[in-house]
């Protein structure tokens, strides 16, 4: 799918379809369109679409009218409208279309173009069934109406959607395919395609580094653990932004086995890993002047005679000991060693991304990712980026009172804090390994995938993280 900008009236566009927007205050100068809208009793609510054919005065065959809700138009309504339009475009197999420019409350034209490219491209994602060839969307070219040249915005929007597509694809793969070695191979292919540096540590290497916590999770599985690092160098020796993604390619719970219902969805427990790889893809395509490192601890969590047992005590790379009271709280056990490991990159900031707790879904549902941080300026930057990217987060506190719940009689800490505030105690656990740098944690257990009829990876929060990184260069 290609995008371009044009300063022309929609009536003159000669492709298959033009997309025209309509908010609660719109009265079209074009009498034909205005009459057809009235005849069809079209309601200008966001999500509503009216498909018209062979409208007099229009060179394109199809005119798709999309509702935007109340004026001034808000950003979420615009995205909802684009998604509804995408459904119609797929039905009519449109190849070549033009999108009318719109004004969105609180954002400039370049944001509108970036978002349009991102949403339209992302809407064409399809699950790739095992054994099938990659299907391409019917859309070949989208022309966006614009008064100015915003080519960079289009490049960014497309790159973010390409990153999201990688994230969704990896997430949707079955867990017998997407194993820790598969993730390592995916990282190496990215490195080859974009000329990045890639290093994969094996079990023996991690053992030498003293990663007793990480290895305690993988030891019950036949799949060997991998610690993947991928670096993009766009600004000499500047300190890098480091992203760490939880890569549990299947989380059975281990000896603290999960209940059977819905357990298949624990293939998505590597969505943090998929997200940081997707973000790397987006950044490598945009090529900004920054340095970025992504690190993925990749393991499978299985029950076995040699798996960790509740009560086991392990020693992390940091030297701190951990009593494993629940083998299903495995994400923090692999992340803590990865978070100690990343000190070697001398990071400017570290953000970890993880499907860490079921509790965050109870707290925030499927709309916002949980955000925790040891640095309020960093948290604020992430919140701002999330507003631009329309990829929501909500901050939860990291405070001593919660941290105390991790007390153990047999080790420096336990790996669970009890029933209360489960997402926060998980964050507190991680914060014990991130004292040496500015750090934030995103709990994406609610946002990384959808369940039910719409089961599938969302590609979140690639858009947020890419925006966060891009915001760092413009200041
Ligand atoms: N991967 C899960 C978290 C999860 C659960 C994500 C359900 C999405 C849906 C994580 O490893 C886990 O099992 N966490 C436990 C922690 C508990 C044992 C303290 C949880 O949330 O139940
Ligand atoms: Mn678990
Ligand atoms: Zn897990």
């Amino acid at each position: 799918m290609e995008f371009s900008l044009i300063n022309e009236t929609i009536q003159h566009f000669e492709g298959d379809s033009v997309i025209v927007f309509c908010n609660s205050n719109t009265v079209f100068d074009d009498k034909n369109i205005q009459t057809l809208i009235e005849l069809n009793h079209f309601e200008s609510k966001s999500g509503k679409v009216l498909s018209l054919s062979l409208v007099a005065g229009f060179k394109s065959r199809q005119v798709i009218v999309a509702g935007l809700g109340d004026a001034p138009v808000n950003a979420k309504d615009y995205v909802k409208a684009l998604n509804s339009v995408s459904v119609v475009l797929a039905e009519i197999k449109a190849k070549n279309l033009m999108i009318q420019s719109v004004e969105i409350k609180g954002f400039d034209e370049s944001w509108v173009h970036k978002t349009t490219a991102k949403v339209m491209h992302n809407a064409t994602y399809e699950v790739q069934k095992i054994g099938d060839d990659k299907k391409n969307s019917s859309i070949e070219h989208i022309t966006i109406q614009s008064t100015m040249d915003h080519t960079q915005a289009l490049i960014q929007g497309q790159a973010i959607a390409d990153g999201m597509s990688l994230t969704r694809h990896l997430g949707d793969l079955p867990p017998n395919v997407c194993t820790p070695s598969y993730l390592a191979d995916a990282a190496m292919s990215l490195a080859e395609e974009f000329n990045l540096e890639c290093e994969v540590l094996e079990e023996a290497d991690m053992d030498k580094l003293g990663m007793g916590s990480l290895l305690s999770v993988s030891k019950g599985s036949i799949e060997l653990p991998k610690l993947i690092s991928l670096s993009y160098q766009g600004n000499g020796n500047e300190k890098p932004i480091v992203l760490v993604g939880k890569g549990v390619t299947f989380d059975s719970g281990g000896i603290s086995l999960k209940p059977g219902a819905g357990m298949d969805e624990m293939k998505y427990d590597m969505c943090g890993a998929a997200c940081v790889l997707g973000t790397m893809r987006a950044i490598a395509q945009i090529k900004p002047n920054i340095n970025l490192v992504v690190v993925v601890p990749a393991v499978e969590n299985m029950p076995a005679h040699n798996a960790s047992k509740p009560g086991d005590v392990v020693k992390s790379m940091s030297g701190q000991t951990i009593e494993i009271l629940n083998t299903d709280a495995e994400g923090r056990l692999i992340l803590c060693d990865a978070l100690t490991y990343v000190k070697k990159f001398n990071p400017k900031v570290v953000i970890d991304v993880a499907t860490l707790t079921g509790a965050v879904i109870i707290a925030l549902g499927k709309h916002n990712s949980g955000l925790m941080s040891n640095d309020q300026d960093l948290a604020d930057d992430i919140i701002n980026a999330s507003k631009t990217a329309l990829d929501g987060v909500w901050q939860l506190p990291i405070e001593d009172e919660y941290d105390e719940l991790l007390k153990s009689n047999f080790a420096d800490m336990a790996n669970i804090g009890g029933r209360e505030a489960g997402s926060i105690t998980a964050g507190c656990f991680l914060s014990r390994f991130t004292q040496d740098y500015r750090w934030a944690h995103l709990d994406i257990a609610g946002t990384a995938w959808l369940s039910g009829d719409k089961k599938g990876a969302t590609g979140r929060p690639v858009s947020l993280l890419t925006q966060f990184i891009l915001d760092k260069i413009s200041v």
Side-chain angles (χ1 to χ4, degrees), residues 246 248 250-253 258 266 268-270 301 327-332 334 355-357:
K246 172 179 172 182
V248 177
F250 188 74
D251 180 13
S252 69
K258 285 184 182 294
M266 281 300 117
Y268 289 116
D269 212 17
M270 37 55 72
N301 186 23
T327 65
D328 198 12
E330 84 299 338
R332 61 199 81 181
I334 65 168
T355 49
L356 205 59
T357 63

Side-chain angles (χ1 to χ4, degrees), residues 4-244:
S4 59
L5 298 167
I6 198 165
N7 191 358
E8 181 176 22
T9 53
I10 43 172
Q11 283 83 352
H12 292 148
F13 180 70
E14 293 191 10
D16 316 312
S17 317
V18 291
I19 319 299
V20 178
F21 295 100
C22 172
N23 65 49
S24 54
N25 290 350
T26 308
V27 181
F28 286 96
D29 294 336
D30 189 301
K31 287 285 172 297
N32 291 319
I33 287 286
Q34 185 61 33
T35 311
L36 285 166
I37 282 176
E38 285 165 19
L39 276 177
N40 284 285
H41 301 287
F42 181 70
E43 268 186 287
S44 58
K45 279 196 185 139
S46 123
K48 296 260 184 213
V49 176
L50 174 66
S51 193
L52 303 167
S53 302
L54 307 173
V55 180
F58 279 79
K59 286 191 176 159
S60 69
R61 259 186 300 129
Q62 206 98 24
V63 178
I64 298 172
V65 185
L68 288 175
D70 291 335
V73 179
N74 79 55
K76 284 187 181 172
D77 280 340
Y78 180 56
V79 169
K80 198 166 164 194
L82 288 178
N83 279 317
S84 302
V85 165
S86 297
V87 174
V88 175
L89 292 173
E91 280 164 7
I92 64 174
K93 300 208 163 26
K95 281 191 187 154
N96 192 354
L97 53 127
M98 175 167 176
I99 301 184
Q100 187 189 31
S101 75
V102 274
E103 267 184 41
I104 306 295
K105 185 170 62 182
F107 293 103
D108 59 13
E109 195 176 49
S110 132
W111 179 93
V112 175
H113 295 335
K114 176 162 71 179
T115 304
T116 306
K118 176 181 84 178
V119 173
M120 294 305 290
H121 196 166
N122 185 37
T124 63
Y125 171 83
E126 265 189 64
V127 175
Q128 210 178 312
K129 299 248 169 71
I130 298 293
D132 282 5
D133 290 339
K134 197 171 190 287
K135 280 189 225 144
N136 280 325
S137 131
S138 62
I139 302 174
E140 287 165 7
H141 198 104
I142 299 183
T143 306
I144 303 176
Q145 191 183 34
S146 177
T147 54
M148 279 197 289
D149 180 24
H150 290 294
T151 312
Q152 192 55 28
L154 293 185
I155 290 174
Q156 290 184 4
Q158 267 177 289
I160 292 167
D162 281 336
M164 289 172 79
S165 165
L166 172 64
T167 302
R168 296 176 72 179
H169 173 65
L170 290 172
D172 285 333
L173 282 173
N176 58 333
V177 172
C178 185
T179 58
S181 347
Y182 188 97
L183 285 179
D185 289 346
M188 288 194 284
S189 322
L190 259 190
E192 210 155 293
E193 187 177 350
F194 292 98
N195 207 4
L196 311 169
E197 218 173 286
C198 183
E199 187 179 36
V200 178
L201 298 192
E202 306 294 334
E203 191 174 30
D205 306 316
M206 291 185 254
D207 197 36
K208 269 192 213 124
L209 290 168
M211 297 189 169
S213 184
L214 187 157
L215 294 177
S216 77
V217 178
S218 59
K219 68 181 187 166
S221 168
I222 190 113
E223 298 295 340
L224 293 170
K226 307 280 169 184
L227 184 66
I228 306 157
S229 306
L230 201 51
S231 317
Y232 162 83
Q233 201 170 9
N235 199 15
N237 292 326
E238 195 196 39
K239 287 181 172 187
I241 294 171
V242 176
L243 304 177
V244 178

Side-chain angles (χ1 to χ4, degrees), residues 289-347:
N289 298 328
I290 51 104
N291 292 335
L292 174 68
V293 178
V294 307
V295 173
V296 170
V299 303
E300 187 182 63
N301 186 23
M302 293 297 268
H305 68 278
N306 58 338
S308 285
K309 302 167 288 295
D312 282 1
V313 172
V314 296
K315 190 168 181 177
S316 66
M317 183 181 175
S318 73
Q320 302 176 89
T321 57
I322 303 160
E323 183 186 13
I324 301 174
L325 288 177
N326 190 322
T327 65
D328 198 12
E330 84 299 338
R332 61 199 81 181
L333 294 175
I334 65 168
L335 287 170
C336 71
D337 279 341
L339 288 167
T340 303
Y341 177 74
V342 299
K343 283 196 226 170
K344 77 172 208 157
F345 297 109
N346 192 17

